[in-house]
Amino acid sequence: MDNLNKSFQSPPWGDSGSFLSVKDAGNIDDLIKLALHYKQNPFAHQALGKGKRMGLLFLNPSMRTRLSTQIAAQNLGMEVIVFNASQDGWSLEFEDGAVMNGTTAEHVKDAAPILGNYFDILGVRTFPSLKNRDEDYAEKIINQFVKYANIPVVSLESATVHPLQSLTDIITISEHLPLKDKTKPKVVLIWAPHVKPLPQCVANSFAEWMNEWNQAEFVIAHPEGYELDKRFIRDALITHDPVKALNDADFVYVKNWSSYADYGKIIPVENDWMLTTEKLSVTNDAKVMHCLPVRRNIELSDEILDSSNSIVTEQAGNRVWAAQSVLSNILNGLT
Amino acid sequence: MDNLNKSFQSPPWGDSGSFLSVKDAGNIDDLIKLALHYKQNPFAHQALGKGKRMGLLFLNPSMRTRLSTQIAAQNLGMEVIVFNASQDGWSLEFEDGAVMNGTTAEHVKDAAPILGNYFDILGVRTFPSLKNRDEDYAEKIINQFVKYANIPVVSLESATVHPLQSLTDIITISEHLPLKDKTKPKVVLIWAPHVKPLPQCVANSFAEWMNEWNQAEFVIAHPEGYELDKRFIRDALITHDPVKALNDADFVYVKNWSSYADYGKIIPVENDWMLTTEKLSVTNDAKVMHCLPVRRNIELSDEILDSSNSIVTEQAGNRVWAAQSVLSNILNGLT
Amino acid sequence: MDNLNKSFQSPPWGDSGSFLSVKDAGNIDDLIKLALHYKQNPFAHQALGKGKRMGLLFLNPSMRTRLSTQIAAQNLGMEVIVFNASQDGWSLEFEDGAVMNGTTAEHVKDAAPILGNYFDILGVRTFPSLKNRDEDYAEKIINQFVKYANIPVVSLESATVHPLQSLTDIITISEHLPLKDKTKPKVVLIWAPHVKPLPQCVANSFAEWMNEWNQAEFVIAHPEGYELDKRFIRDALITHDPVKALNDADFVYVKNWSSYADYGKIIPVENDWMLTTEKLSVTNDAKVMHCLPVRRNIELSDEILDSSNSIVTEQAGNRVWAAQSVLSNILNGLT
């Protein structure tokens, strides 16, 4: 273990050692620094995870998150086992006191302790119902894994946040800093249309991390009816005027989300919020970000995605280093 | 290879090197001893499986069995590849002489030899039809893998038995021995309700292992109509009276199974056979076991599962060491 | 790296380092020689792939191809991650300029670069539509992975060819050479019935490789209406008379394919083209090959498959060494 890594092994890293949101992140700049260290030296700490095993449980399917986390864990020397709940015919019960005479085959109270027994770290991907806002925003599901697994749990996206994505996003922004002509970049999170109702996770989480990081002028633009939960956006600047938001922006993060107020619904929008090259012209030649997968010519035009303004591939690539940085800290906290 | 391990490399370990039931187990106490050695030292024999590869073929999905066997094999240094027949779009034919103009895409006679070619050890999970008792009890499916694969086959549960589970169960019991006030523990296998017709595997297999181990007073309690095959239970004490069975019990193994006589059916039962704290009161503060997944408040009450009487998590955790003990013996038998 | 392996690191190995057809194979005899070297010494070059990662993306499910490629890559020291597009709920768009308001969730233009970012080598299994011949024969899908992934792509079967299978087939033939009484073996590719319309891949590819290898008397036999694309068969001898084709044959490769002319259709056939022991009697005690899975008693009789004439298991086993030989060359081409 070299000094670089040791320096990150500092409290607070969550009491449970889990990583569920920015609250468990400790010093964000330290996480970024370690991530960029791994980007240069993927196998720098391959002894750290030797003999340790990580389980990746997907209650909802995933491609980028699965691959990047698996690679990050392997880079640290861990063995990784992936299992998809639905594919493995494994439907979990989360209600306390349930009389299990229906379709759920196992209670999380029984399943999670065993995962905690088999693994050293557990990654869990859940998803909001988009029906019951109170339950979703209480993070009922992932919190039960934390409660019963008795090992560090890493969120691979939960009902309301996606912290590994947000760390990735800030790493990606920071790689393009400092700007020549500004001390603080202007970063715009802008809503875009989609064909399906999507969670608010990525937007909530990005807002929360941007606020905590606090090294940018942060603006959120969305149509009326798409207001996000105040607990995440805090005092970020909100506008319904995309032109005003985009003006002189250095980074534009495009993302759809469904309504929080009319929970989980797609509310009709008058203007076309798809980002195009024309709209981008008022920015400071902004870098365009998206967490992917992206619906081309719905959320973002081909023209932008195929241009040099787009940094979405670089951003997705950084998923590995964000995960590796977080897992490294968790491993340092074990034993 | 140290002496501990060498001592288990003794015949008989099945002629084929396969592990399909207690008949292939050799000395059970030796298996337990090795399992508990691995529980303390998971990586004690990591060189043993180096360069060896295990395939885990699931004709029916699995969570605990898949994870524990995969971990056990990795602990021994093996590489493991898991494949789920149904998910990988691979439906096998088991009828000899079949004209394959239907939905089955490949005959086990062609598939198994190739698995034998690719792997050093093959784990197979099958399941009973619960329709054709003769075919199920002839273990038609797993026996064809043994016949055609030409490498050691490990049962990950077959149509009638679940030997790795049973070894786990006895390991778990033995960890709580000796009792203060008895020379032999009283072990009760007790039937419980379920919403679906389940195989007799776990019950058959536990009975068979308990009889072979022969270090407990063994009682089986079930409602009328749920009699098990005599070949497995032999001269175990059978009762239809749960109170009598539970009286002074030290270990209570709760499990549902469907009828053997009226094969694969759920036969209506008058009394409530769900195990509760009240019913448990006549035991000797018994440890409660279940192979999981368990239907809470159908098979077992929340109250019991959440109490210190329940050792189901510990039991599931032992799945790893049972598998590792068996795989270790098989590896020692490979040249 | 020993000399044996170094000698294969010679151009041309495709400009992209990809392996999509015989055109990327370089010297076939060198590939065979290396494959047979690995068959004797699976771990000979385990340092070659250390720290390298291979992704295996299946747009269509696979058993043999998945297992053999995974094993081959692991034998070379690589880490392998398998992902099944459909099971992981990941449906890709391949149309340029598509307005993605339908069921496809991600464009290959966005997905492939990220796979290229995560992996060092990408294996891709696609499948023909069997509806649009022009698109299938333009290899629209796999070519987009090559175009956008920016790393070597290995075909695990594409719309029109199956090069790892064909290399396997030639390795298998060459293991039985030289014949006692002939300088060149007679190799017959013979059409067989099937219950479903199958791609022309295996037949196209085998023809292409046999032509390029050019060390056999090569004959293709099929009913009228099952003519293959001239680009693959070139000047191979074609006959509609199975007896004439089989006469004095040394190797008989049995395979179904759907019509190329009436694209993707099953055209009714008058005579029974299932290969039987009786039909085989006119051969020179020929070895019978099939890429598997095989429909018993539809394509080939039980009698043949269970006889010593069948070398299908040996052939399937060679899938590992063919893949390992190809991957070894690609790894040597990486810096």
Side-chain angles (χ1 to χ4, degrees):
Chain A
M1 203 49 12
D2 60 29
N3 284 331
L4 176 65
N5 199 261
K6 261 197 179 137
S7 70
F8 299 107
Q9 191 185 352
S10 54
W13 186 263
D15 284 341
S16 65
S18 289
F19 180 81
L20 305 177
S21 80
V22 75
K23 294 183 191 73
D24 300 318
N27 184 305
I28 295 176
D29 284 320
D30 282 352
L31 275 180
I32 296 171
K33 200 170 145 194
L34 184 56
L36 294 176
H37 178 66
Y38 286 134
K39 191 168 183 172
Q40 296 307 316
N41 310 279
F43 304 115
H45 298 145
Q46 195 148 33
L48 184 59
K50 203 171 146 43
K52 299 277 190 268
R53 200 168 269 118
M54 181 167 193
L56 299 182
L57 168 59
F58 290 91
L59 299 180
N60 281 79
S62 153
M63 199 278 283
R64 247 164 305 272
T65 298
R66 176 198 153 177
L67 295 178
S68 60
T69 313
Q70 192 167 357
I71 291 169
Q74 288 176 341
N75 283 349
L76 292 165
M78 275 188 276
E79 282 184 338
V80 182
I81 298 182
V82 175
F83 45 115
N84 293 298
S86 58
Q87 286 168 33
D88 294 331
W90 192 50
S91 101
L92 287 173
E93 177 64 55
F94 293 95
E95 286 303 324
D96 219 33
V99 176
M100 292 174 60
N101 57 2
T103 55
T104 54
E106 180 151 25
H107 203 287
V108 66
K109 287 168 90 169
D110 300 311
I114 292 156
L115 299 178
N117 197 306
Y118 290 168
F119 297 110
D120 300 288
I121 303 176
L122 180 65
V124 179
R125 146 84 52 119
T126 70
F127 225 56
S129 66
L130 293 183
K131 284 169 189 164
N132 185 328
R133 190 172 82 176
D134 288 347
E135 277 195 5
D136 286 349
Y137 273 70
E139 291 289 4
K140 184 180 166 174
I141 293 190
I142 200 162
N143 281 338
Q144 290 196 67
F145 282 100
V146 174
K147 184 171 177 188
Y148 297 117
N150 211 25
I151 55 169
V153 171
V154 175
S155 166
L156 308 174
E157 188 171 2
S158 62
T160 65
V161 288
H162 196 350
L164 287 176
Q165 179 67 53
S166 307
L167 174 56
T168 300
D169 300 336
I170 292 185
I171 290 167
T172 308
I173 289 170
S174 73
E175 283 187 295
H176 290 270
L177 298 182
L179 300 174
K180 259 181 282 183
D181 47 0
K182 288 184 190 177
T183 51
K184 269 194 170 188
K186 180 176 178 184
V187 177
V188 180
L189 171 64
I190 187 165
W191 186 92
H194 202 282
V195 297
K196 293 199 306 183
L198 297 190
Q200 294 99 31
C201 301
V202 170
N204 285 343
S205 197
F206 185 67
E208 188 174 49
W209 282 72
M210 286 303 290
N211 285 326
E212 194 65 33
W213 190 48
N214 197 24
Q215 299 180 27
E217 181 196 344
F218 180 46
V219 179
I220 305 175
H222 58 71
E224 287 191 58
Y226 285 95
E227 287 69 25
L228 294 165
D229 184 349
K230 271 284 176 193
R231 285 169 289 184
F232 297 99
I233 57 166
R234 301 206 318 236
D235 47 8
L237 190 70
I238 310 296
T239 174
H240 302 318
D241 178 351
V243 178
K244 185 177 148 200
L246 292 170
N247 188 46
D248 201 35
D250 301 296
F251 297 88
V252 180
Y253 197 140
V254 180
K255 185 73 189 86
N256 170 268
W257 59 89
S258 61
S259 175
Y260 173 75
D262 192 2
Y263 190 61
K265 293 291 188 307
I266 296 183
I267 296 173
V269 169
E270 284 204 6
N271 301 313
D272 184 3
W273 280 72
M274 180 175 83
L275 193 67
T276 59
T277 307
E278 199 192 333
K279 289 176 190 162
L280 204 66
S281 63
V282 302
T283 68
N284 183 27
D285 195 24
K287 299 299 178 193
V288 177
M289 302 171 71
H290 191 285
C291 63
L292 304 182
V294 60
R295 296 273 181 151
R296 282 180 170 247
N297 302 312
I298 298 289
E299 297 177 80
L300 265 163
S301 70
D302 273 341
E303 215 180 358
I304 290 186
L305 280 165
D306 297 336
S307 78
S308 61
N309 288 85
S310 166
I311 56 171
V312 299
T313 299
E314 177 189 333
Q315 185 184 358
N318 283 334
R319 293 292 308 270
V320 173
W321 320 117
Q324 192 165 342
S325 178
V326 166
L327 292 178
S328 173
N329 275 280
I330 292 175
L331 283 169
N332 271 312
L334 296 179
T335 65
Chain B
M1 205 47 13
D2 59 30
N3 284 332
L4 177 65
N5 200 261
K6 259 196 179 139
S7 69
F8 300 107
Q9 192 184 350
S10 53
W13 186 265
D15 284 342
S16 65
S18 290
F19 180 80
L20 306 177
S21 80
V22 75
K23 295 183 191 73
D24 301 317
N27 184 306
I28 294 176
D29 284 321
D30 282 352
L31 275 180
I32 295 171
K33 200 169 145 194
L34 183 56
L36 294 176
H37 178 66
Y38 286 134
K39 192 167 182 172
Q40 296 307 316
N41 310 278
F43 304 115
H45 298 144
Q46 196 149 33
L48 184 60
K50 205 175 144 40
K52 298 276 190 269
R53 200 168 268 118
M54 182 167 192
L56 299 183
L57 169 58
F58 290 92
L59 299 180
N60 281 78
S62 153
M63 199 277 282
R64 248 164 304 273
T65 298
R66 175 197 154 179
L67 296 178
S68 61
T69 314
Q70 191 167 357
I71 290 169
Q74 288 176 341
N75 283 350
L76 291 166
M78 276 189 275
E79 283 184 337
V80 182
I81 297 181
V82 175
F83 46 116
N84 293 299
S86 58
Q87 286 169 32
D88 294 332
W90 191 50
S91 99
L92 287 173
E93 177 64 54
F94 293 94
E95 286 301 325
D96 218 33
V99 176
M100 291 174 60
N101 57 2
T103 55
T104 55
E106 181 152 25
H107 202 288
V108 66
K109 288 169 89 168
D110 300 311
I114 292 155
L115 299 178
N117 197 307
Y118 289 169
F119 297 110
D120 300 288
I121 303 175
L122 179 64
V124 180
R125 146 85 51 122
T126 71
F127 225 56
S129 66
L130 293 184
K131 284 169 188 163
N132 185 328
R133 191 173 83 176
D134 287 346
E135 276 194 5
D136 287 349
Y137 273 70
E139 290 288 5
K140 185 180 167 175
I141 293 190
I142 201 162
N143 281 337
Q144 290 196 67
F145 282 100
V146 174
K147 183 172 177 186
Y148 297 117
N150 212 25
I151 54 170
V153 170
V154 175
S155 167
L156 309 174
E157 188 171 0
S158 62
T160 65
V161 287
H162 195 349
L164 286 176
Q165 179 66 53
S166 307
L167 174 56
T168 300
D169 301 335
I170 293 185
I171 290 167
T172 308
I173 290 171
S174 71
E175 283 187 294
H176 290 269
L177 298 182
L179 301 174
K180 259 180 283 183
D181 47 359
K182 288 185 191 176
T183 50
K184 269 192 170 188
K186 180 175 178 184
V187 177
V188 179
L189 170 65
I190 187 165
W191 185 91
H194 202 281
V195 297
K196 293 198 305 183
L198 297 190
Q200 295 98 31
C201 300
V202 170
N204 285 343
S205 197
F206 185 67
E208 189 174 49
W209 282 73
M210 285 304 289
N211 285 326
E212 194 65 33
W213 188 49
N214 197 24
Q215 299 180 27
E217 181 196 343
F218 180 47
V219 179
I220 305 175
H222 59 73
E224 287 191 58
Y226 285 96
E227 286 70 25
L228 293 165
D229 184 348
K230 271 283 177 194
R231 283 169 291 184
F232 298 99
I233 56 166
R234 300 206 319 236
D235 47 8
L237 190 70
I238 310 296
T239 173
H240 302 318
D241 178 351
V243 178
K244 185 178 148 198
L246 293 170
N247 189 46
D248 200 35
D250 301 295
F251 297 88
V252 180
Y253 197 139
V254 179
K255 185 72 190 85
N256 170 269
W257 60 89
S258 61
S259 175
Y260 174 76
D262 191 0
Y263 191 61
K265 294 291 188 307
I266 296 183
I267 296 173
V269 169
E270 284 204 7
N271 301 313
D272 184 3
W273 280 71
M274 180 174 83
L275 192 66
T276 60
T277 307
E278 199 194 333
K279 288 177 190 162
L280 204 65
S281 63
V282 302
T283 67
N284 182 28
D285 194 23
K287 299 298 177 192
V288 176
M289 304 173 69
H290 191 286
C291 63
L292 304 184
V294 59
R295 297 273 181 152
R296 281 179 170 247
N297 302 312
I298 297 290
E299 296 177 80
L300 263 164
S301 70
D302 273 340
E303 214 179 358
I304 290 186
L305 280 165
D306 298 337
S307 76
S308 62
N309 288 86
S310 167
I311 55 172
V312 299
T313 298
E314 177 190 334
Q315 186 185 358
N318 282 334
R319 293 292 309 270
V320 173
W321 320 117
Q324 191 165 341
S325 178
V326 166
L327 293 177
S328 174
N329 275 281
I330 293 176
L331 283 169
N332 270 314
L334 297 177
T335 44
Chain C
M1 205 46 16
D2 60 28
N3 284 331
L4 177 65
N5 200 262
K6 259 198 178 135
S7 71
F8 300 106
Q9 190 186 352
S10 54
W13 185 264
D15 285 341
S16 65
S18 289
F19 179 79
L20 305 177
S21 79
V22 74
K23 294 183 191 73
D24 300 319
N27 183 305
I28 295 174
D29 284 321
D30 282 352
L31 275 179
I32 296 172
K33 200 169 145 194
L34 183 57
L36 294 176
H37 178 66
Y38 286 134
K39 192 169 183 171
Q40 296 307 316
N41 310 279
F43 304 115
H45 298 144
Q46 196 150 33
L48 184 60
K50 204 174 144 41
K52 299 276 189 272
R53 200 168 268 118
M54 182 166 192
L56 299 183
L57 169 57
F58 290 92
L59 299 179
N60 281 78
S62 153
M63 200 277 283
R64 248 164 304 271
T65 298
R66 175 198 154 178
L67 295 179
S68 61
T69 312
Q70 192 166 356
I71 291 169
Q74 289 177 340
N75 283 349
L76 292 165
M78 275 189 275
E79 282 183 339
V80 183
I81 298 181
V82 176
F83 45 118
N84 293 298
S86 57
Q87 286 168 31
D88 294 332
W90 192 49
S91 101
L92 287 173
E93 176 64 55
F94 293 95
E95 285 303 323
D96 218 32
V99 176
M100 291 174 58
N101 57 2
T103 55
T104 55
E106 180 151 26
H107 203 287
V108 67
K109 288 169 89 168
D110 300 311
I114 291 156
L115 299 178
N117 197 308
Y118 289 168
F119 297 109
D120 300 288
I121 303 176
L122 180 65
V124 180
R125 145 84 51 121
T126 71
F127 225 55
S129 66
L130 293 183
K131 284 169 188 163
N132 185 327
R133 190 172 84 177
D134 287 347
E135 278 194 4
D136 286 350
Y137 273 70
E139 290 288 4
K140 185 180 166 174
I141 293 190
I142 202 163
N143 281 336
Q144 289 196 68
F145 281 100
V146 174
K147 185 172 175 185
Y148 296 117
N150 211 24
I151 54 169
V153 171
V154 175
S155 166
L156 309 174
E157 187 170 2
S158 63
T160 65
V161 287
H162 196 350
L164 287 176
Q165 179 67 54
S166 307
L167 173 56
T168 300
D169 300 336
I170 292 184
I171 290 168
T172 308
I173 291 171
S174 72
E175 283 188 294
H176 290 269
L177 299 182
L179 301 173
K180 258 180 280 181
D181 47 359
K182 287 185 190 176
T183 51
K184 271 193 169 188
K186 181 175 178 183
V187 177
V188 179
L189 171 63
I190 188 165
W191 185 91
H194 203 282
V195 295
K196 293 200 305 183
L198 296 190
Q200 294 97 32
C201 300
V202 170
N204 284 342
S205 197
F206 185 67
E208 188 174 49
W209 282 73
M210 286 304 290
N211 284 327
E212 195 64 33
W213 189 48
N214 197 24
Q215 299 179 28
E217 182 197 343
F218 180 46
V219 179
I220 305 174
H222 59 71
E224 288 192 58
Y226 285 96
E227 286 71 25
L228 293 164
D229 184 349
K230 270 286 176 193
R231 283 170 290 184
F232 297 99
I233 57 167
R234 299 207 320 237
D235 47 8
L237 190 69
I238 310 296
T239 174
H240 301 319
D241 177 351
V243 179
K244 186 177 147 199
L246 292 170
N247 189 45
D248 200 35
D250 301 295
F251 297 88
V252 180
Y253 197 138
V254 179
K255 185 75 190 83
N256 171 268
W257 59 88
S258 61
S259 175
Y260 174 75
D262 191 1
Y263 190 62
K265 295 290 188 308
I266 296 182
I267 297 173
V269 169
E270 285 204 7
N271 300 314
D272 184 3
W273 281 71
M274 180 175 82
L275 193 66
T276 59
T277 307
E278 198 194 332
K279 288 177 190 162
L280 203 66
S281 63
V282 302
T283 67
N284 182 27
D285 194 25
K287 300 297 179 194
V288 176
M289 303 172 71
H290 191 286
C291 63
L292 304 182
V294 59
R295 296 273 181 151
R296 282 180 171 247
N297 302 313
I298 298 290
E299 297 177 80
L300 264 163
S301 69
D302 273 340
E303 213 180 0
I304 289 186
L305 280 165
D306 297 337
S307 77
S308 62
N309 288 84
S310 167
I311 55 172
V312 299
T313 298
E314 177 190 335
Q315 186 185 358
N318 283 333
R319 292 293 308 271
V320 173
W321 320 116
Q324 192 165 341
S325 178
V326 166
L327 292 178
S328 174
N329 275 280
I330 292 176
L331 283 169
N332 271 313
L334 297 177
T335 46

